[in-house]
Amino acid sequence: MIAYLVSAALVVGASFVVGGAVQVLCGRRASDPLSGAVGLAALLVAAGLVRDIGGGEAFIAVVLIGLVLTAATTVVALGPAPARERAAALPLGPGVLTGALAFFAAAVPFIAAGAVGILGVGLVNDDMASHLLLADWIREGFEPEPVLVGQGYPLGPHALVAAIAWLLDASTVKVFAGFNSSLTVLLAIGAFGLLRGLPTPARVVASVLVSVPYLAAAYLAQEAFKEPAMGLFVLAFAVAVARPLSEGQAAAGRYVPAAVIAGGTLFVYSFPGLVWLGLTAAVWIAISVVGGVRAGREIGSQVRAAALPVGLAAGVFAALVLADVGRLIDFADFRALDPDRANEGGLGNLRGHISPLEAFGVWPSGEFRLAAGASGLPALVFYAGGLLGLAAFGLGLARWTRRHGPALLAALAAAAVVYLAARGLGTVYTSAKALAVAAPTIALVTFGGLLTPRDGRSGEGSGAAAGRRAPLALALLAALYALAAAGSTLLVLRQAPVGPTTHADELAQIRPVVQGQRLLFLGRDNFVLWELRGSEPYTHVRNYYDPYFVEPNFDIEQVGSKFDFDSVDARTLARFPFVLTTRASYASGPPPGYRPEVVTDSYVLWRAGESPGERRPAEVGPEPGAEVGCESPLRLEGETGNRIATVFAERPVLAPASSWSPDAEPRSGSASTIEIELGAGSWDLSLAYDATRPLTLSAPGFEQTIPANLDYRGVSPYWPAGRIVLDEPATVTITADVADPPLAGRLLGAESVAHLGALAATRTGEVDDPLVAPGPGAASQAETPGDLCSRGGSEYVDWTAPLSATPQVLGSGR
């Protein structure tokens, strides 16, 4: 928690110091409330450029420290006189309170979960797996290089996070969480500065809600930092290009802060981010030219007056672009930018187009991806909330533009164009991003317009203007909108899944053994490439960004996913010196010669040995084996002669996911049960599941708590779930109960949830048949002098191979 707090404070503090220096050099006040956005952009540019020239995390940190110290010196030496500065500065107490409340709002997921971790894991969005991999690659310099580096992916945030993590000697996970929360603080303080003239309490509350409007909160809850950062930059850019100069301020550098913001956009969103800024600038130029003509100023005179400041800003921006042009070119072929390629595997993490009404801040669901009415509430409730937000925005926009000018109107017009273009020509994924980027500006205009005093003066937050109030009807509408918006935001933040660490900690024990090695990972975890960074973990179920993939043994579309040694053929196994599986007993066993290299509570890392060629699974499907008898001997086509096989001591017992009652989704205070018929003796239980909190399985004489697991939501491997021993055959009722959230989470209304798959029981113990000797895993090894039929009857067989097949030394091929 300390690293999370300190890293957020460092980003916010450094951003205001550096941004203040940029403002001073451009003839503006260091205390400009949007200095934080300018400074963050400068920090991202500096960190990204140093990274691009090959600087490691220590070098980046030294450069950034030097930048901050230089900036602080500049502000002190060149800033305005203290009296003038104090007159323009933000009120210290309310400004600090606003930032603190915004940070608290961003921290709601961690408060509800009782821990700081990776947001959105498994249930929402696993892009953070790639972001952590990039940041730790900058920090650790491991090989192989992440594929996104060569694709020109912008690395500004990752370089900044790596440098702070090095300075604090802290987890990259905690520092990234701090960086993301700092975005809400910077946005809240910027909004507080823009809402001058409002009564202080209303100004504080409105500013906090501007920093976490519903859609921005939904992206924050999945730790998608790019959209919140773009929301901050778009708002700050619109103000920077339109803000008039005060008397005595130099004009030449007036647009340089906007150029710095544009540069920061390149390092967080690459060139697609410039679409928002370019359109905003274009709309503002059109509005300014038309307004100038109406005021009697010729277009030529307007162009001449703007030539120097625009030229200087363009020069600054061009320098930043030229420094990063190679990566920008590489990013042009990024697959997410191509609608056809981006949609090959579905809709990203979305189920379809989200309603544009969500951008107006009122949507009564903790799941932003659901259509109206899909979460249990009537659709009418969603549309009523959306229309409340739309009506408040419409009234607010008219009053804001009339009293404060068209700067934010330009940003909103640009956002509308981006959304419509993405909706018509892009992907579901990009159109949702467009709405999320626009959400903070929409919230600011809504609150600012509704709460502007009657005379419309913006003021400086004090004096007569601040003492006036908005019309009562508008103030009541603003209060209703604030309550509905705050409630919607709370719904999405309190249920944000925070990644548990049990499996990651176990994989950290395995990581040193497989450094620099290829391994086959027979599981499903979108974070495995980061958790085992420095190795090459191949999977047979393709993840979106992972470059290492092998073809499965079965047609996944027809048969379903399978996560054990029979998931791939013998030729594929021969390519890998290590195989990583879960410890679940309901699984096909390893070939002979494999030995456990590292065993944890949840995993086994197998080191390859010799295996018979032409190894063939007995089953076709997700089970670990199949019943085989003399009437259907297992032979390869055209094969004659003797065979070897692995045979289970007894057929495992499987209770399907549909058997859970009342359903397979137990929640806090509501358990699920399942019945399974078992014979006398000892049985190992295996369960496919995900859960936000630890899950306890219990039955008479049996209790086992298994860890929280958000590795993947959907078809996933079985995990070890305890051992149950019976004196006689019985129908056993097993109860699954997910742990409650901590007290703070319960007070916020959060609940735990698990999604249960099938429960399997596999016989344990010695096998009496002399032909079957106990072996590793659930299955036992059988070597027969003839084929399997010579034993008579039937057996539950794992795999077979010709007895004469030449063994392969696994892991020797590529």
Side-chain angles (χ1 to χ4, degrees):
M1 182 64 79
I2 297 298
Y4 167 59
L5 294 170
V6 174
S7 57
L10 284 176
V11 173
V12 171
S15 295
F16 273 105
V17 170
V18 174
V22 174
Q23 299 280 29
V24 166
L25 292 173
C26 295
R28 294 190 178 275
R29 299 185 183 96
S31 62
D32 190 308
L34 290 174
S35 292
V38 177
L40 177 65
L43 291 171
L44 293 174
V45 168
L49 287 178
V50 175
R51 172 54 254 165
D52 287 350
I53 64 174
E57 82 285 10
F59 188 26
I60 297 170
V62 170
V63 170
L64 295 180
I65 291 171
L67 178 62
V68 171
L69 292 177
T70 302
T73 303
T74 301
V75 171
V76 172
L78 302 180
R84 291 173 57 196
E85 182 67 11
R86 280 197 301 272
L90 292 171
L92 183 61
V96 171
L97 176 62
T98 299
L101 290 176
F103 181 82
F104 174 82
V108 162
F110 305 132
I111 295 170
V116 176
I118 305 170
L119 287 171
V121 176
L123 304 184
V124 182
N125 183 8
D126 284 332
D127 282 359
M128 185 49 62
S130 295
H131 297 311
L132 289 170
L133 183 69
L134 291 168
D136 274 324
W137 172 73
I138 294 171
R139 189 177 181 186
E140 301 172 7
F142 52 77
E143 294 291 340
E145 176 185 279
V147 294
L148 291 180
V149 175
Q151 294 177 358
Y153 199 84
L155 297 178
H158 312 84
L160 180 59
V161 166
I164 295 174
W166 176 80
L167 281 172
L168 300 180
D169 190 24
S171 160
T172 308
V173 171
K174 303 295 194 298
V175 176
F176 238 128
F179 171 78
N180 291 351
S181 294
S182 74
L183 299 175
T184 65
V185 177
L186 293 172
L187 185 51
I189 295 175
F192 185 82
L194 294 174
L195 293 174
R196 291 189 179 98
L198 274 60
T200 298
R203 187 179 177 190
V204 170
V205 172
S207 299
V208 172
L209 292 177
V210 168
S211 73
V212 280
Y214 179 75
L215 263 186
Y219 275 78
L220 179 70
Q222 53 186 312
E223 209 155 4
F225 59 85
K226 293 179 294 183
E227 289 70 33
M230 281 301 301
L232 171 65
F233 286 163
V234 167
L235 177 60
F237 180 86
V239 174
V241 297
R243 173 167 285 171
L245 294 170
S246 299
E247 184 178 352
Q249 291 182 324
R254 64 180 301 178
Y255 298 130
V256 169
V260 173
I261 291 171
T265 298
L266 287 176
F267 283 88
V268 73
Y269 217 86
S270 195
F271 61 82
L274 298 181
V275 175
W276 276 278
L277 308 190
L279 287 173
T280 299
V283 174
W284 171 250
I285 290 170
I287 292 173
S288 298
V289 170
V290 171
V293 171
R294 287 180 176 177
R297 295 192 301 271
E298 295 181 354
I299 294 178
S301 65
Q302 294 183 58
V303 170
R304 287 190 294 274
L308 178 58
V310 169
L312 181 58
V316 170
F317 178 67
L320 301 179
V321 172
L322 290 174
D324 202 46
V325 67
R327 296 189 58 77
L328 295 175
I329 293 172
D330 291 338
F331 193 69
D333 195 42
F334 190 62
R335 66 175 295 176
L337 303 179
D338 185 331
D340 295 330
R341 296 172 64 189
N343 281 330
E344 285 172 359
L347 305 172
N349 67 328
L350 301 173
R351 304 171 186 181
H353 283 292
I354 67 172
S355 172
L357 291 175
E358 294 186 41
F360 299 99
V362 182
W363 200 253
S365 173
E367 174 53 87
F368 81 102
R369 299 174 299 170
L370 294 181
S375 65
L377 292 175
L380 180 62
V381 176
F382 288 85
Y383 290 124
L387 290 175
L388 169 63
L390 181 59
F393 168 72
L395 290 171
L397 177 62
R399 286 171 55 82
W400 176 275
T401 303
R402 187 164 61 249
R403 291 161 172 79
H404 300 276
L408 296 188
L409 180 61
L412 292 170
V417 171
V418 172
Y419 170 70
L420 292 174
R423 184 71 184 251
L425 304 174
T427 68
V428 169
Y429 201 51
T430 54
S431 66
K433 288 174 180 286
L435 293 175
V437 170
T441 303
I442 290 174
L444 177 69
V445 167
T446 302
F447 282 114
L450 294 179
L451 295 173
T452 294
R454 289 179 184 274
D455 68 352
R457 298 176 191 169
S458 61
E460 292 295 342
S462 60
R468 295 183 175 90
R469 298 291 186 267
L472 179 60
L474 293 180
L476 291 176
L477 177 60
L480 178 61
Y481 173 72
L483 287 173
S488 299
T489 292
L490 178 61
L491 286 177
V492 79
L493 288 177
R494 72 182 185 184
Q495 281 300 114
V498 178
T501 62
T502 301
H503 287 169
D505 291 343
E506 292 182 39
L507 291 174
Q509 303 175 40
I510 293 171
R511 184 187 171 210
V513 180
V514 297
Q515 285 291 283
Q517 301 284 338
R518 300 185 319 279
L519 74 147
L520 180 61
F521 174 54
L522 297 173
R524 197 162 199 180
D525 179 354
N526 283 346
F527 281 76
V528 73
L529 195 64
W530 169 67
E531 290 159 336
L532 296 179
R533 56 194 178 276
S535 65
E536 296 179 28
Y538 285 72
T539 64
H540 68 294
V541 179
R542 190 182 296 275
N543 294 328
Y544 188 76
Y545 290 119
D546 292 355
Y548 310 119
F549 176 73
V550 297
E551 291 294 334
N553 203 27
F554 304 123
D555 185 340
I556 290 178
E557 296 297 326
Q558 298 295 323
V559 176
S561 297
K562 182 176 175 61
F563 300 93
D564 59 28
F565 277 92
D566 286 350
S567 299
V568 297
D569 59 26
R571 185 180 299 276
T572 298
L573 279 176
R575 295 170 54 191
F576 299 99
F578 294 99
V579 178
L580 179 62
T581 68
T582 74
R583 279 190 69 181
S585 294
Y586 186 69
S588 300
Y594 273 79
R595 61 180 177 84
E597 183 76 9
V598 180
V599 179
T600 70
D601 290 341
S602 305
Y603 299 97
V604 180
L605 178 68
W606 303 90
R607 184 180 288 274
E610 293 186 350
S611 178
E614 300 181 63
R615 179 179 184 270
R616 181 187 182 193
E619 74 279 7
V620 178
E623 291 191 41
E627 290 282 355
V628 175
C630 290
E631 68 281 1
S632 57
L634 283 175
R635 296 185 183 280
L636 297 174
E637 184 176 353
E639 176 193 27
T640 59
N642 296 332
R643 305 184 59 75
I644 60 172
T646 53
V647 182
F648 279 72
E650 184 176 330
R651 183 181 189 124
V653 181
L654 183 70
S658 59
S659 299
W660 288 100
S661 178
D663 55 43
E665 296 185 11
R667 296 175 181 270
S668 307
S670 176
S672 295
T673 61
I674 196 169
E675 292 185 347
I676 187 167
E677 295 184 6
L678 300 176
S682 177
W683 297 86
D684 279 339
L685 300 182
S686 304
L687 178 66
Y689 76 104
D690 64 71
T692 58
R693 305 285 298 175
L695 187 69
T696 298
L697 303 178
S698 60
F702 165 78
E703 183 172 300
Q704 180 73 36
T705 298
I706 55 180
N709 167 32
L710 294 178
D711 290 356
Y712 187 82
R713 168 77 181 280
V715 179
S716 59
Y718 286 87
W719 298 93
R723 176 171 293 182
I724 189 168
V725 179
L726 300 175
D727 294 330
E728 59 184 21
T731 298
V732 180
T733 299
I734 295 177
T735 299
D737 190 7
V738 63
D740 291 335
L743 176 61
R746 297 196 298 274
L747 292 175
L748 288 168
E751 64 176 359
S752 303
V753 61
H755 300 89
L756 307 177
L759 178 73
T762 306
R763 174 75 74 178
T764 63
E766 295 294 323
V767 180
D768 295 331
D769 192 324
L771 293 176
V772 183
S780 299
Q781 180 69 24
E783 292 192 14
T784 63
D787 68 25
L788 198 62
C789 294
S790 66
R791 299 185 59 194
S794 64
E795 301 285 353
Y796 191 75
V797 176
D798 183 350
W799 58 266
T800 68
L803 187 62
S804 60
T806 303
Q808 302 174 10
V809 179
L810 299 189
S812 59
R814 186 163 183 87

